[in-house]
Amino acid sequence: MELLLASASPSRRRLLEQAAIPHRVQVSGVDEDAIQNPNPLQLVQELAAAKAKAVQQILLNEKLLNEKSLNHPGLGILACDSMFEFEGEIFGKPKDAADAIQRWRCMAGGWGVLHTGHCWLPNGGGEHRAIVSTKVQFSAVTETEIIAYVATGEPLQCAGCFAVEGRGGLMIERIEGCISNVIGLSLPLLRSWLNLASFN
């Protein structure tokens, strides 16, 4: 029994691999810029749901799902979307290195919140949604450290401009909440959903 991950994120896939959760990937192809909402919590949830439903539609189109029961070989479809909130401003992935450097100048020594919207469409039908938020405190890093970190290219691939599981972990002072959520998805939340599936 596999989980179908509706994401191209290598970090999310790595989390599932490390947790020994069988899975495969089906990228949704959702135009994220077309979905707008000024509320970051609502936005990450809407994006996650849109990705999950887009993958579900791909499977229906390929006749891999039965439209009546939505049964397919697997545990269901999981989609996530993450955004970083810092002092009321929402950060997705930085546009370029200059954008990443400017963000880090603002974030150094401060606190932010990483929000991840999760949507699970379990095998057999139904829909589960949840938002997990984790507080992150950054170290008071220097300009030299910021420039060197951005030069690695790592922050250019991440919502919030850092990867706690990579070089960015050196620049994080403290995390309050679910650490796997900061990486890409909440494993405790996923465990609760998969446990729920085992009783259905």
Side-chain angles (χ1 to χ4, degrees):
M1 294 288 283
E2 291 181 318
L3 186 72
L4 188 58
L5 179 64
S7 173
S9 165
S11 297
R12 292 190 179 111
R13 184 158 197 178
R14 199 154 45 242
L15 280 170
L16 295 179
E17 288 169 353
Q18 291 169 348
I21 298 173
H23 65 281
R24 57 190 175 93
V25 171
Q26 173 65 62
V27 179
S28 68
V30 165
D31 179 5
E32 297 184 28
D33 293 334
I35 300 174
Q36 301 290 324
N37 193 314
N39 184 311
L41 296 177
Q42 293 176 6
L43 180 57
V44 292
Q45 190 63 90
E46 289 172 11
L47 284 165
K51 292 176 183 179
K53 290 177 180 178
V55 166
Q56 186 179 70
Q57 190 59 52
I58 290 170
L59 297 183
L60 283 167
N61 292 343
E62 294 178 354
K63 310 293 187 196
L64 296 177
L65 278 178
N66 180 296
E67 194 160 4
K68 193 169 185 180
S69 66
L70 295 180
N71 285 324
H72 62 97
L75 295 167
I77 301 166
L78 175 69
C80 304
D81 192 83
S82 298
M83 290 189 180
F84 191 70
E85 183 177 6
F86 186 82
E87 295 183 350
E89 188 174 355
I90 303 304
F91 293 159
K93 292 179 182 178
K95 296 190 295 289
D96 51 32
D99 187 28
I101 289 171
Q102 186 54 43
R103 289 188 191 183
W104 265 101
R105 286 172 178 159
C106 296
M107 297 189 310
W111 282 89
V113 184
L114 194 291
H115 304 292
T116 300
H118 301 69
C119 182
W120 181 48
L121 305 179
N123 183 20
E127 179 178 330
H128 298 268
R129 297 186 181 195
I131 300 164
V132 179
S133 299
T134 305
K135 292 181 66 177
V136 179
Q137 182 183 23
F138 299 100
S139 302
V141 292
T142 65
E143 181 77 2
T144 300
E145 289 175 307
I146 290 171
I147 292 171
Y149 179 46
V150 172
T152 69
E154 181 181 272
L156 302 180
Q157 308 303 316
C158 309
C161 218
F162 67 96
V164 69
E165 73 279 20
R167 293 181 176 94
L170 295 169
M171 305 168 83
I172 305 300
E173 198 73 22
R174 182 200 255 172
I175 289 177
E176 292 185 0
C178 177
I179 188 168
S180 66
N181 185 61
V182 180
I183 298 172
L185 64 90
S186 172
L187 288 174
L189 173 65
L190 181 57
R191 177 185 57 79
S192 71
W193 280 348
L194 296 183
N195 283 344
L196 179 65
S198 68
F199 291 105
N200 290 336

